[in-house]
Amino acid sequence: MRDPSNETEPTRQMRARARAIHDAGSIEAALAKGALGKLVETTLAEALVLGLLKQGVRKYLAIFGHGSTELGEVLRVYEDEGVTRTFNCRNEVAMAHAATALRWQYGEIPAVVTSIGPGAMQAFAGSLAAASNGVGIYHIYGDETTFGEGYNMQQVPKQEQHLFGQMTAIMGRSYVLHTPQAVRDALRRGALTVNHPYRAGPFYLLLPLNTQPARLTLNLAALPDRPKLATLAPASDDTIDEAAALIAKSKRPAIKAGGGTRGHDAALRRLAEAAGAALVLSPGSTGVLPDLHPQNMHVGGSKGSISGNHAMANADLLLVIGSRAVCQADCSGIGYKKARAVININGDLADATHYNKTLALIGDISAVAERLAAKLAAVKANADKRDWLAECAAKKNEWSAYKQARYAAAPINDEAWQRPALPQPAAIKIVADFAKEIGAAKFFDAGDVQANGFQIVEDDRSGDTFTETGASYMGFAASALLASALADQPRYGIAFCGDGSFMMNPQILIDGVEHGVRGTIVIFDNRRMAAISGLQVAQYQNEFRTNDRVAVDYVRLASAIDGVHAVHGGWTAGELARALRKAHEHKGLSVVHMPVYCGPHELGGLGAWGEWNVGNWCEDVQRAWIEQDL
Ligand SMILES: Cc1ncc(C[n+]2csc(CCOP(=O)(O)OP(=O)(O)O)c2C)c(N)n1
Ligand SMILES: [Mg+2]
């Protein structure tokens, strides 16, 4: 702790408050034992930290600038007294990803702190991942002064008010703290946004340079708490009965489990079994039904799988659960070619009524699914679905054999490497199996690494894979590892990165060492942004500007950073397995540089099994969409 003797009187008072809170354990406890009076004279910056603390926010990820020095000073004192922690980072996009992962993986609510302007803009860009995956976190940006005495350096250069407030309000919900006393209102709105039961997302607090140090009388007892919300479900049984009747009558029901089903594993399993439904995963829901469960058809969608897409295309009744019908998940709206009706379980009215011919069951997934499963069990609705499930099981076997052939593939001669290298699916499978063996969490960001990844992972529960399929933000996976250095109860993590994705955010090499990450980054280096080369070739038979000629030795690059342990992944399955073990032995951050084959060989990829409304496929896909009724 620093010597506080040269601090000003207001700082000493702030320190005394922080100490009282630390000693009592919480603001409420400090108030209850009289260690703090309920009305305190303070600054907006401290009021914000106190208000966030009331909601359980104790961790800040920060890159300070002139737009956030006042807040930084509050955080310095509160950290000195053991109340909050602040983790300095090297890049705002990466920092936003790490904060997203801390909430997503560990349930802890952090706040991202930036300066005004470019720092804010970068964190804002990164917040797309939180918005797209429904992850609630706070973003606090320095903002232009409220007096309007002239342009502030780094503000958006226009004669308009609250431009950052407007921009951020488009992405999520936001509040410009124009008046110190408004902090109470701002934090009530923030609490609901970041803790929303089915559509959480980032909440942006815009903190003008001049209101940060502005003083106010703050009522500590009036700071909004985290909302306690009861689980919602349909009040009567009418719609549940109607859904049960539809399922009982159906010969070929399929469930599409979206990212919203994560954590509802038990209810989903009961519903799938009681309905006799084939369950198709989305990229973000692997594990909600155990991999080997006979009704788990694996992923379906634009990328998809043989079995997942078969179940989608042949179902006569579709149960959509916790899905917002992203193009990748429902083949741009044409994935369910024979479905005559839809049952949709979702908390969000718009998502629940996305398709025509829908019976919407609005509410919490577990609550609704359990009630529906009980009705179905009572009438043995699954009894006549055996033929359908047998047909699906045969497709699952076909998919398994197809994958096995690719996992067993020997190294293939590669143009860029000028030698045989393991194909990417075989390499990813080895790393995914290793993650399972050591109980590590897996992170995926964008590209072929991600697509192959969700076709390959064999999870038995949700929470073992974090694949950022909402935004597919290159750089997410490596950045997300940082959350494990910040978490109260960290878990070993493995980030699966493409060479392109890794170089978007290599800052983890420094931040990870600084804050003590334990985990491994595997860089699947195919010397290009292969997912896009692949699309270009599939659509236009030519690659264009999706690779360069520069070879990078990632072992040397990563080894330049003190504390990072970097190893080469080798050229064969056996060498990769040994490299992973060596990486894992290191009690810190490790990097495995794994060169992989990229090219037209059929064992080099896992294929695409659905449709997608992009490039020169648009005409066909849109024609089919117009002709279908859902
Ligand atoms: C920040 C960002 N920029 C661009 C894209 C578009 N994009 C998606 S995948 C991809 C290529 C990924 O390359 P790499 O990480 O090397 O993985 P690979 O496909 O080669 O396995 C690109 C450019 C994106 N998703 N995110
Ligand atoms: Mg690549």
PDB file of all heavy atoms in Angstrom, residues 199 255-261 280-283 285 318-330 336 344-348 350-355 365:
ATOM      1  N   ARG A 199     -32.262 -11.333 -22.408  1.00  0.00           N
ATOM      2  CA  ARG A 199     -31.635 -10.510 -23.432  1.00  0.00           C
ATOM      3  C   ARG A 199     -30.662  -9.532 -22.785  1.00  0.00           C
ATOM      4  O   ARG A 199     -30.755  -8.316 -22.953  1.00  0.00           O
ATOM      5  CB  ARG A 199     -32.668  -9.762 -24.256  1.00  0.00           C
ATOM      6  CG  ARG A 199     -32.258  -9.755 -25.716  1.00  0.00           C
ATOM      7  CD  ARG A 199     -33.264  -9.116 -26.606  1.00  0.00           C
ATOM      8  NE  ARG A 199     -33.615  -9.926 -27.756  1.00  0.00           N
ATOM      9  CZ  ARG A 199     -32.776 -10.292 -28.708  1.00  0.00           C
ATOM     10  NH1 ARG A 199     -31.500  -9.957 -28.654  1.00  0.00           N
ATOM     11  NH2 ARG A 199     -33.187 -10.998 -29.727  1.00  0.00           N
ATOM     12  N   ILE A 255     -35.977 -30.595 -32.483  1.00  0.00           N
ATOM     13  CA  ILE A 255     -35.721 -29.431 -31.621  1.00  0.00           C
ATOM     14  C   ILE A 255     -34.511 -28.706 -32.163  1.00  0.00           C
ATOM     15  O   ILE A 255     -33.484 -29.333 -32.455  1.00  0.00           O
ATOM     16  CB  ILE A 255     -35.429 -29.871 -30.168  1.00  0.00           C
ATOM     17  CG1 ILE A 255     -36.684 -30.489 -29.536  1.00  0.00           C
ATOM     18  CG2 ILE A 255     -34.925 -28.694 -29.338  1.00  0.00           C
ATOM     19  CD1 ILE A 255     -36.443 -31.063 -28.146  1.00  0.00           C
ATOM     20  N   LYS A 256     -34.584 -27.402 -32.318  1.00  0.00           N
ATOM     21  CA  LYS A 256     -33.385 -26.616 -32.617  1.00  0.00           C
ATOM     22  C   LYS A 256     -33.011 -25.871 -31.349  1.00  0.00           C
ATOM     23  O   LYS A 256     -33.752 -24.996 -30.888  1.00  0.00           O
ATOM     24  CB  LYS A 256     -33.657 -25.634 -33.765  1.00  0.00           C
ATOM     25  CG  LYS A 256     -32.393 -24.941 -34.252  1.00  0.00           C
ATOM     26  CD  LYS A 256     -31.385 -25.990 -34.720  1.00  0.00           C
ATOM     27  CE  LYS A 256     -30.027 -25.438 -35.012  1.00  0.00           C
ATOM     28  NZ  LYS A 256     -29.917 -24.786 -36.273  1.00  0.00           N
ATOM     29  N   ALA A 257     -31.908 -26.266 -30.760  1.00  0.00           N
ATOM     30  CA  ALA A 257     -31.467 -25.663 -29.495  1.00  0.00           C
ATOM     31  C   ALA A 257     -30.510 -24.517 -29.778  1.00  0.00           C
ATOM     32  O   ALA A 257     -29.393 -24.725 -30.243  1.00  0.00           O
ATOM     33  CB  ALA A 257     -30.789 -26.727 -28.628  1.00  0.00           C
ATOM     34  N   GLY A 258     -30.935 -23.306 -29.511  1.00  0.00           N
ATOM     35  CA  GLY A 258     -30.086 -22.136 -29.731  1.00  0.00           C
ATOM     36  C   GLY A 258     -29.177 -21.869 -28.545  1.00  0.00           C
ATOM     37  O   GLY A 258     -29.210 -22.588 -27.535  1.00  0.00           O
ATOM     38  N   GLY A 259     -28.385 -20.812 -28.662  1.00  0.00           N
ATOM     39  CA  GLY A 259     -27.448 -20.453 -27.598  1.00  0.00           C
ATOM     40  C   GLY A 259     -28.142 -20.188 -26.269  1.00  0.00           C
ATOM     41  O   GLY A 259     -27.545 -20.363 -25.203  1.00  0.00           O
ATOM     42  N   GLY A 260     -29.401 -19.796 -26.328  1.00  0.00           N
ATOM     43  CA  GLY A 260     -30.156 -19.527 -25.099  1.00  0.00           C
ATOM     44  C   GLY A 260     -30.408 -20.759 -24.254  1.00  0.00           C
ATOM     45  O   GLY A 260     -30.790 -20.655 -23.087  1.00  0.00           O
ATOM     46  N   THR A 261     -30.203 -21.946 -24.829  1.00  0.00           N
ATOM     47  CA  THR A 261     -30.452 -23.169 -24.054  1.00  0.00           C
ATOM     48  C   THR A 261     -29.279 -23.526 -23.142  1.00  0.00           C
ATOM     49  O   THR A 261     -29.400 -24.433 -22.314  1.00  0.00           O
ATOM     50  CB  THR A 261     -30.715 -24.382 -24.980  1.00  0.00           C
ATOM     51  OG1 THR A 261     -29.556 -24.598 -25.812  1.00  0.00           O
ATOM     52  CG2 THR A 261     -31.934 -24.152 -25.853  1.00  0.00           C
ATOM     53  N   VAL A 280     -31.195 -30.841 -32.606  1.00  0.00           N
ATOM     54  CA  VAL A 280     -30.149 -30.268 -33.453  1.00  0.00           C
ATOM     55  C   VAL A 280     -29.514 -29.107 -32.701  1.00  0.00           C
ATOM     56  O   VAL A 280     -30.211 -28.233 -32.184  1.00  0.00           O
ATOM     57  CB  VAL A 280     -30.745 -29.773 -34.789  1.00  0.00           C
ATOM     58  CG1 VAL A 280     -29.641 -29.269 -35.703  1.00  0.00           C
ATOM     59  CG2 VAL A 280     -31.551 -30.877 -35.463  1.00  0.00           C
ATOM     60  N   LEU A 281     -28.198 -29.113 -32.664  1.00  0.00           N
ATOM     61  CA  LEU A 281     -27.482 -28.057 -31.946  1.00  0.00           C
ATOM     62  C   LEU A 281     -27.250 -26.846 -32.841  1.00  0.00           C
ATOM     63  O   LEU A 281     -27.246 -26.944 -34.062  1.00  0.00           O
ATOM     64  CB  LEU A 281     -26.126 -28.578 -31.475  1.00  0.00           C
ATOM     65  CG  LEU A 281     -26.152 -29.750 -30.499  1.00  0.00           C
ATOM     66  CD1 LEU A 281     -24.748 -30.326 -30.338  1.00  0.00           C
ATOM     67  CD2 LEU A 281     -26.714 -29.305 -29.152  1.00  0.00           C
ATOM     68  N   SER A 282     -27.031 -25.708 -32.199  1.00  0.00           N
ATOM     69  CA  SER A 282     -26.520 -24.518 -32.880  1.00  0.00           C
ATOM     70  C   SER A 282     -25.034 -24.449 -32.569  1.00  0.00           C
ATOM     71  O   SER A 282     -24.568 -25.097 -31.629  1.00  0.00           O
ATOM     72  CB  SER A 282     -27.204 -23.266 -32.347  1.00  0.00           C
ATOM     73  OG  SER A 282     -28.558 -23.293 -32.668  1.00  0.00           O
ATOM     74  N   PRO A 283     -24.290 -23.628 -33.310  1.00  0.00           N
ATOM     75  CA  PRO A 283     -22.861 -23.527 -32.994  1.00  0.00           C
ATOM     76  C   PRO A 283     -22.601 -23.221 -31.517  1.00  0.00           C
ATOM     77  O   PRO A 283     -21.654 -23.739 -30.937  1.00  0.00           O
ATOM     78  CB  PRO A 283     -22.406 -22.363 -33.879  1.00  0.00           C
ATOM     79  CG  PRO A 283     -23.306 -22.435 -35.068  1.00  0.00           C
ATOM     80  CD  PRO A 283     -24.648 -22.856 -34.521  1.00  0.00           C
ATOM     81  N   SER A 285     -24.441 -24.008 -28.827  1.00  0.00           N
ATOM     82  CA  SER A 285     -25.130 -24.778 -27.781  1.00  0.00           C
ATOM     83  C   SER A 285     -24.581 -26.192 -27.627  1.00  0.00           C
ATOM     84  O   SER A 285     -25.251 -27.054 -27.060  1.00  0.00           O
ATOM     85  CB  SER A 285     -26.633 -24.831 -28.071  1.00  0.00           C
ATOM     86  OG  SER A 285     -26.902 -25.537 -29.271  1.00  0.00           O
ATOM     87  N   LEU A 318     -41.254 -28.295 -35.892  1.00  0.00           N
ATOM     88  CA  LEU A 318     -40.018 -27.699 -35.383  1.00  0.00           C
ATOM     89  C   LEU A 318     -40.256 -27.102 -34.004  1.00  0.00           C
ATOM     90  O   LEU A 318     -41.185 -26.315 -33.819  1.00  0.00           O
ATOM     91  CB  LEU A 318     -39.562 -26.600 -36.359  1.00  0.00           C
ATOM     92  CG  LEU A 318     -38.471 -25.653 -35.869  1.00  0.00           C
ATOM     93  CD1 LEU A 318     -37.157 -26.405 -35.668  1.00  0.00           C
ATOM     94  CD2 LEU A 318     -38.277 -24.511 -36.866  1.00  0.00           C
ATOM     95  N   LEU A 319     -39.414 -27.500 -33.045  1.00  0.00           N
ATOM     96  CA  LEU A 319     -39.422 -26.837 -31.732  1.00  0.00           C
ATOM     97  C   LEU A 319     -38.174 -25.970 -31.653  1.00  0.00           C
ATOM     98  O   LEU A 319     -37.060 -26.503 -31.554  1.00  0.00           O
ATOM     99  CB  LEU A 319     -39.365 -27.868 -30.601  1.00  0.00           C
ATOM    100  CG  LEU A 319     -40.648 -28.581 -30.203  1.00  0.00           C
ATOM    101  CD1 LEU A 319     -40.835 -29.829 -31.045  1.00  0.00           C
ATOM    102  CD2 LEU A 319     -40.562 -28.967 -28.732  1.00  0.00           C
ATOM    103  N   VAL A 320     -38.355 -24.687 -31.719  1.00  0.00           N
ATOM    104  CA  VAL A 320     -37.213 -23.779 -31.598  1.00  0.00           C
ATOM    105  C   VAL A 320     -37.097 -23.396 -30.129  1.00  0.00           C
ATOM    106  O   VAL A 320     -38.078 -22.982 -29.522  1.00  0.00           O
ATOM    107  CB  VAL A 320     -37.428 -22.495 -32.424  1.00  0.00           C
ATOM    108  CG1 VAL A 320     -36.197 -21.612 -32.372  1.00  0.00           C
ATOM    109  CG2 VAL A 320     -37.783 -22.834 -33.851  1.00  0.00           C
ATOM    110  N   ILE A 321     -35.907 -23.542 -29.576  1.00  0.00           N
ATOM    111  CA  ILE A 321     -35.748 -23.211 -28.152  1.00  0.00           C
ATOM    112  C   ILE A 321     -34.522 -22.317 -27.970  1.00  0.00           C
ATOM    113  O   ILE A 321     -33.412 -22.681 -28.356  1.00  0.00           O
ATOM    114  CB  ILE A 321     -35.590 -24.484 -27.282  1.00  0.00           C
ATOM    115  CG1 ILE A 321     -36.717 -25.482 -27.603  1.00  0.00           C
ATOM    116  CG2 ILE A 321     -35.606 -24.121 -25.806  1.00  0.00           C
ATOM    117  CD1 ILE A 321     -36.680 -26.762 -26.793  1.00  0.00           C
ATOM    118  N   GLY A 322     -34.733 -21.155 -27.400  1.00  0.00           N
ATOM    119  CA  GLY A 322     -33.624 -20.249 -27.092  1.00  0.00           C
ATOM    120  C   GLY A 322     -32.791 -19.878 -28.295  1.00  0.00           C
ATOM    121  O   GLY A 322     -31.570 -19.774 -28.207  1.00  0.00           O
ATOM    122  N   SER A 323     -33.456 -19.664 -29.416  1.00  0.00           N
ATOM    123  CA  SER A 323     -32.712 -19.321 -30.637  1.00  0.00           C
ATOM    124  C   SER A 323     -33.274 -18.045 -31.235  1.00  0.00           C
ATOM    125  O   SER A 323     -34.476 -17.813 -31.209  1.00  0.00           O
ATOM    126  CB  SER A 323     -32.835 -20.456 -31.658  1.00  0.00           C
ATOM    127  OG  SER A 323     -32.355 -20.025 -32.928  1.00  0.00           O
ATOM    128  N   ARG A 324     -32.383 -17.221 -31.791  1.00  0.00           N
ATOM    129  CA  ARG A 324     -32.871 -16.020 -32.463  1.00  0.00           C
ATOM    130  C   ARG A 324     -32.764 -16.173 -33.979  1.00  0.00           C
ATOM    131  O   ARG A 324     -32.754 -15.193 -34.717  1.00  0.00           O
ATOM    132  CB  ARG A 324     -32.159 -14.771 -31.946  1.00  0.00           C
ATOM    133  CG  ARG A 324     -30.668 -14.767 -32.155  1.00  0.00           C
ATOM    134  CD  ARG A 324     -29.975 -13.600 -31.441  1.00  0.00           C
ATOM    135  NE  ARG A 324     -28.540 -13.782 -31.476  1.00  0.00           N
ATOM    136  CZ  ARG A 324     -27.725 -13.159 -32.321  1.00  0.00           C
ATOM    137  NH1 ARG A 324     -28.193 -12.294 -33.171  1.00  0.00           N
ATOM    138  NH2 ARG A 324     -26.436 -13.380 -32.301  1.00  0.00           N
ATOM    139  N   ALA A 325     -32.687 -17.416 -34.446  1.00  0.00           N
ATOM    140  CA  ALA A 325     -32.768 -17.716 -35.872  1.00  0.00           C
ATOM    141  C   ALA A 325     -31.738 -16.956 -36.706  1.00  0.00           C
ATOM    142  O   ALA A 325     -32.054 -16.312 -37.693  1.00  0.00           O
ATOM    143  CB  ALA A 325     -34.182 -17.431 -36.399  1.00  0.00           C
ATOM    144  N   VAL A 326     -30.489 -17.042 -36.261  1.00  0.00           N
ATOM    145  CA  VAL A 326     -29.400 -16.446 -37.033  1.00  0.00           C
ATOM    146  C   VAL A 326     -29.242 -17.225 -38.347  1.00  0.00           C
ATOM    147  O   VAL A 326     -29.479 -18.439 -38.384  1.00  0.00           O
ATOM    148  CB  VAL A 326     -28.087 -16.540 -36.225  1.00  0.00           C
ATOM    149  CG1 VAL A 326     -26.918 -15.938 -36.973  1.00  0.00           C
ATOM    150  CG2 VAL A 326     -28.259 -15.869 -34.879  1.00  0.00           C
ATOM    151  N   CYS A 327     -28.815 -16.572 -39.414  1.00  0.00           N
ATOM    152  CA  CYS A 327     -28.682 -17.234 -40.711  1.00  0.00           C
ATOM    153  C   CYS A 327     -27.842 -18.498 -40.620  1.00  0.00           C
ATOM    154  O   CYS A 327     -28.129 -19.505 -41.261  1.00  0.00           O
ATOM    155  CB  CYS A 327     -28.094 -16.267 -41.737  1.00  0.00           C
ATOM    156  SG  CYS A 327     -26.430 -15.702 -41.336  1.00  0.00           S
ATOM    157  N   GLN A 328     -26.782 -18.462 -39.804  1.00  0.00           N
ATOM    158  CA  GLN A 328     -25.912 -19.638 -39.664  1.00  0.00           C
ATOM    159  C   GLN A 328     -26.640 -20.803 -39.020  1.00  0.00           C
ATOM    160  O   GLN A 328     -26.280 -21.957 -39.210  1.00  0.00           O
ATOM    161  CB  GLN A 328     -24.691 -19.279 -38.809  1.00  0.00           C
ATOM    162  CG  GLN A 328     -23.567 -18.639 -39.578  1.00  0.00           C
ATOM    163  CD  GLN A 328     -22.756 -19.674 -40.333  1.00  0.00           C
ATOM    164  OE1 GLN A 328     -23.069 -20.849 -40.356  1.00  0.00           O
ATOM    165  NE2 GLN A 328     -21.688 -19.234 -40.974  1.00  0.00           N
ATOM    166  N   ALA A 329     -27.684 -20.515 -38.214  1.00  0.00           N
ATOM    167  CA  ALA A 329     -28.369 -21.580 -37.490  1.00  0.00           C
ATOM    168  C   ALA A 329     -29.538 -22.145 -38.281  1.00  0.00           C
ATOM    169  O   ALA A 329     -29.852 -23.331 -38.154  1.00  0.00           O
ATOM    170  CB  ALA A 329     -28.855 -21.065 -36.135  1.00  0.00           C
ATOM    171  N   ASP A 330     -30.214 -21.315 -39.078  1.00  0.00           N
ATOM    172  CA  ASP A 330     -31.391 -21.851 -39.770  1.00  0.00           C
ATOM    173  C   ASP A 330     -31.274 -21.748 -41.292  1.00  0.00           C
ATOM    174  O   ASP A 330     -32.274 -21.696 -42.005  1.00  0.00           O
ATOM    175  CB  ASP A 330     -32.681 -21.213 -39.245  1.00  0.00           C
ATOM    176  CG  ASP A 330     -32.941 -19.811 -39.787  1.00  0.00           C
ATOM    177  OD1 ASP A 330     -32.027 -19.227 -40.405  1.00  0.00           O
ATOM    178  OD2 ASP A 330     -34.068 -19.314 -39.609  1.00  0.00           O
ATOM    179  N   TYR A 336     -35.747 -25.552 -42.688  1.00  0.00           N
ATOM    180  CA  TYR A 336     -36.795 -26.496 -42.238  1.00  0.00           C
ATOM    181  C   TYR A 336     -37.791 -26.702 -43.373  1.00  0.00           C
ATOM    182  O   TYR A 336     -38.901 -26.183 -43.359  1.00  0.00           O
ATOM    183  CB  TYR A 336     -37.469 -25.940 -40.986  1.00  0.00           C
ATOM    184  CG  TYR A 336     -36.464 -25.519 -39.938  1.00  0.00           C
ATOM    185  CD1 TYR A 336     -36.196 -24.169 -39.697  1.00  0.00           C
ATOM    186  CD2 TYR A 336     -35.744 -26.469 -39.209  1.00  0.00           C
ATOM    187  CE1 TYR A 336     -35.256 -23.784 -38.753  1.00  0.00           C
ATOM    188  CE2 TYR A 336     -34.799 -26.090 -38.265  1.00  0.00           C
ATOM    189  CZ  TYR A 336     -34.560 -24.744 -38.047  1.00  0.00           C
ATOM    190  OH  TYR A 336     -33.630 -24.364 -37.125  1.00  0.00           O
ATOM    191  N   ASN A 344     -42.284 -22.448 -30.353  1.00  0.00           N
ATOM    192  CA  ASN A 344     -41.085 -21.665 -30.063  1.00  0.00           C
ATOM    193  C   ASN A 344     -41.050 -21.276 -28.590  1.00  0.00           C
ATOM    194  O   ASN A 344     -41.944 -20.589 -28.092  1.00  0.00           O
ATOM    195  CB  ASN A 344     -41.064 -20.416 -30.954  1.00  0.00           C
ATOM    196  CG  ASN A 344     -39.663 -19.841 -31.090  1.00  0.00           C
ATOM    197  OD1 ASN A 344     -38.876 -19.904 -30.138  1.00  0.00           O
ATOM    198  ND2 ASN A 344     -39.351 -19.292 -32.250  1.00  0.00           N
ATOM    199  N   ILE A 345     -40.025 -21.737 -27.904  1.00  0.00           N
ATOM    200  CA  ILE A 345     -39.865 -21.393 -26.477  1.00  0.00           C
ATOM    201  C   ILE A 345     -38.793 -20.324 -26.351  1.00  0.00           C
ATOM    202  O   ILE A 345     -37.628 -20.549 -26.690  1.00  0.00           O
ATOM    203  CB  ILE A 345     -39.461 -22.632 -25.639  1.00  0.00           C
ATOM    204  CG1 ILE A 345     -40.478 -23.762 -25.831  1.00  0.00           C
ATOM    205  CG2 ILE A 345     -39.339 -22.253 -24.161  1.00  0.00           C
ATOM    206  CD1 ILE A 345     -40.117 -25.054 -25.089  1.00  0.00           C
ATOM    207  N   ASN A 346     -39.190 -19.157 -25.854  1.00  0.00           N
ATOM    208  CA  ASN A 346     -38.251 -18.053 -25.730  1.00  0.00           C
ATOM    209  C   ASN A 346     -38.852 -17.010 -24.787  1.00  0.00           C
ATOM    210  O   ASN A 346     -40.078 -16.906 -24.687  1.00  0.00           O
ATOM    211  CB  ASN A 346     -37.981 -17.425 -27.110  1.00  0.00           C
ATOM    212  CG  ASN A 346     -36.631 -16.749 -27.179  1.00  0.00           C
ATOM    213  OD1 ASN A 346     -36.321 -15.891 -26.351  1.00  0.00           O
ATOM    214  ND2 ASN A 346     -35.809 -17.140 -28.141  1.00  0.00           N
ATOM    215  N   GLY A 347     -38.001 -16.252 -24.125  1.00  0.00           N
ATOM    216  CA  GLY A 347     -38.507 -15.172 -23.282  1.00  0.00           C
ATOM    217  C   GLY A 347     -38.828 -13.935 -24.092  1.00  0.00           C
ATOM    218  O   GLY A 347     -39.634 -13.094 -23.689  1.00  0.00           O
ATOM    219  N   ASP A 348     -38.204 -13.819 -25.241  1.00  0.00           N
ATOM    220  CA  ASP A 348     -38.326 -12.616 -26.056  1.00  0.00           C
ATOM    221  C   ASP A 348     -39.482 -12.777 -27.052  1.00  0.00           C
ATOM    222  O   ASP A 348     -39.491 -13.726 -27.852  1.00  0.00           O
ATOM    223  CB  ASP A 348     -37.012 -12.390 -26.802  1.00  0.00           C
ATOM    224  CG  ASP A 348     -37.009 -11.069 -27.535  1.00  0.00           C
ATOM    225  OD1 ASP A 348     -37.588 -11.000 -28.637  1.00  0.00           O
ATOM    226  OD2 ASP A 348     -36.444 -10.108 -26.989  1.00  0.00           O
ATOM    227  N   ALA A 350     -40.344 -11.174 -29.769  1.00  0.00           N
ATOM    228  CA  ALA A 350     -40.010 -11.108 -31.194  1.00  0.00           C
ATOM    229  C   ALA A 350     -39.314 -12.385 -31.651  1.00  0.00           C
ATOM    230  O   ALA A 350     -39.624 -12.926 -32.719  1.00  0.00           O
ATOM    231  CB  ALA A 350     -39.125  -9.894 -31.469  1.00  0.00           C
ATOM    232  N   ASP A 351     -38.381 -12.883 -30.842  1.00  0.00           N
ATOM    233  CA  ASP A 351     -37.704 -14.131 -31.218  1.00  0.00           C
ATOM    234  C   ASP A 351     -38.684 -15.302 -31.209  1.00  0.00           C
ATOM    235  O   ASP A 351     -38.626 -16.182 -32.072  1.00  0.00           O
ATOM    236  CB  ASP A 351     -36.535 -14.413 -30.259  1.00  0.00           C
ATOM    237  CG  ASP A 351     -35.364 -13.467 -30.512  1.00  0.00           C
ATOM    238  OD1 ASP A 351     -35.301 -12.879 -31.611  1.00  0.00           O
ATOM    239  OD2 ASP A 351     -34.530 -13.309 -29.593  1.00  0.00           O
ATOM    240  N   ALA A 352     -39.591 -15.303 -30.238  1.00  0.00           N
ATOM    241  CA  ALA A 352     -40.541 -16.426 -30.107  1.00  0.00           C
ATOM    242  C   ALA A 352     -41.533 -16.468 -31.261  1.00  0.00           C
ATOM    243  O   ALA A 352     -42.109 -17.509 -31.544  1.00  0.00           O
ATOM    244  CB  ALA A 352     -41.280 -16.326 -28.778  1.00  0.00           C
ATOM    245  N   THR A 353     -41.738 -15.351 -31.925  1.00  0.00           N
ATOM    246  CA  THR A 353     -42.726 -15.319 -33.014  1.00  0.00           C
ATOM    247  C   THR A 353     -42.053 -15.094 -34.369  1.00  0.00           C
ATOM    248  O   THR A 353     -42.673 -14.639 -35.318  1.00  0.00           O
ATOM    249  CB  THR A 353     -43.763 -14.210 -32.763  1.00  0.00           C
ATOM    250  OG1 THR A 353     -43.077 -12.966 -32.581  1.00  0.00           O
ATOM    251  CG2 THR A 353     -44.595 -14.497 -31.532  1.00  0.00           C
ATOM    252  N   HIS A 354     -40.771 -15.441 -34.443  1.00  0.00           N
ATOM    253  CA  HIS A 354     -40.008 -15.185 -35.674  1.00  0.00           C
ATOM    254  C   HIS A 354     -40.598 -15.894 -36.892  1.00  0.00           C
ATOM    255  O   HIS A 354     -40.643 -15.340 -37.985  1.00  0.00           O
ATOM    256  CB  HIS A 354     -38.557 -15.624 -35.475  1.00  0.00           C
ATOM    257  CG  HIS A 354     -37.734 -15.579 -36.728  1.00  0.00           C
ATOM    258  ND1 HIS A 354     -37.193 -14.404 -37.201  1.00  0.00           N
ATOM    259  CD2 HIS A 354     -37.392 -16.544 -37.619  1.00  0.00           C
ATOM    260  CE1 HIS A 354     -36.537 -14.665 -38.330  1.00  0.00           C
ATOM    261  NE2 HIS A 354     -36.641 -15.947 -38.608  1.00  0.00           N
ATOM    262  N   TYR A 355     -41.026 -17.148 -36.722  1.00  0.00           N
ATOM    263  CA  TYR A 355     -41.561 -17.913 -37.859  1.00  0.00           C
ATOM    264  C   TYR A 355     -43.080 -17.807 -37.905  1.00  0.00           C
ATOM    265  O   TYR A 355     -43.735 -17.638 -36.872  1.00  0.00           O
ATOM    266  CB  TYR A 355     -41.174 -19.394 -37.733  1.00  0.00           C
ATOM    267  CG  TYR A 355     -39.687 -19.636 -37.777  1.00  0.00           C
ATOM    268  CD1 TYR A 355     -38.978 -19.924 -36.620  1.00  0.00           C
ATOM    269  CD2 TYR A 355     -38.978 -19.572 -38.979  1.00  0.00           C
ATOM    270  CE1 TYR A 355     -37.602 -20.141 -36.650  1.00  0.00           C
ATOM    271  CE2 TYR A 355     -37.612 -19.798 -39.020  1.00  0.00           C
ATOM    272  CZ  TYR A 355     -36.927 -20.078 -37.853  1.00  0.00           C
ATOM    273  OH  TYR A 355     -35.574 -20.296 -37.878  1.00  0.00           O
ATOM    274  N   ILE A 365     -36.798 -21.076 -20.246  1.00  0.00           N
ATOM    275  CA  ILE A 365     -36.704 -22.331 -20.993  1.00  0.00           C
ATOM    276  C   ILE A 365     -36.921 -23.555 -20.092  1.00  0.00           C
ATOM    277  O   ILE A 365     -37.717 -24.438 -20.411  1.00  0.00           O
ATOM    278  CB  ILE A 365     -35.348 -22.413 -21.729  1.00  0.00           C
ATOM    279  CG1 ILE A 365     -35.343 -21.397 -22.875  1.00  0.00           C
ATOM    280  CG2 ILE A 365     -35.082 -23.818 -22.250  1.00  0.00           C
ATOM    281  CD1 ILE A 365     -33.998 -21.190 -23.534  1.00  0.00           C
TER     282      ILE A 365
END
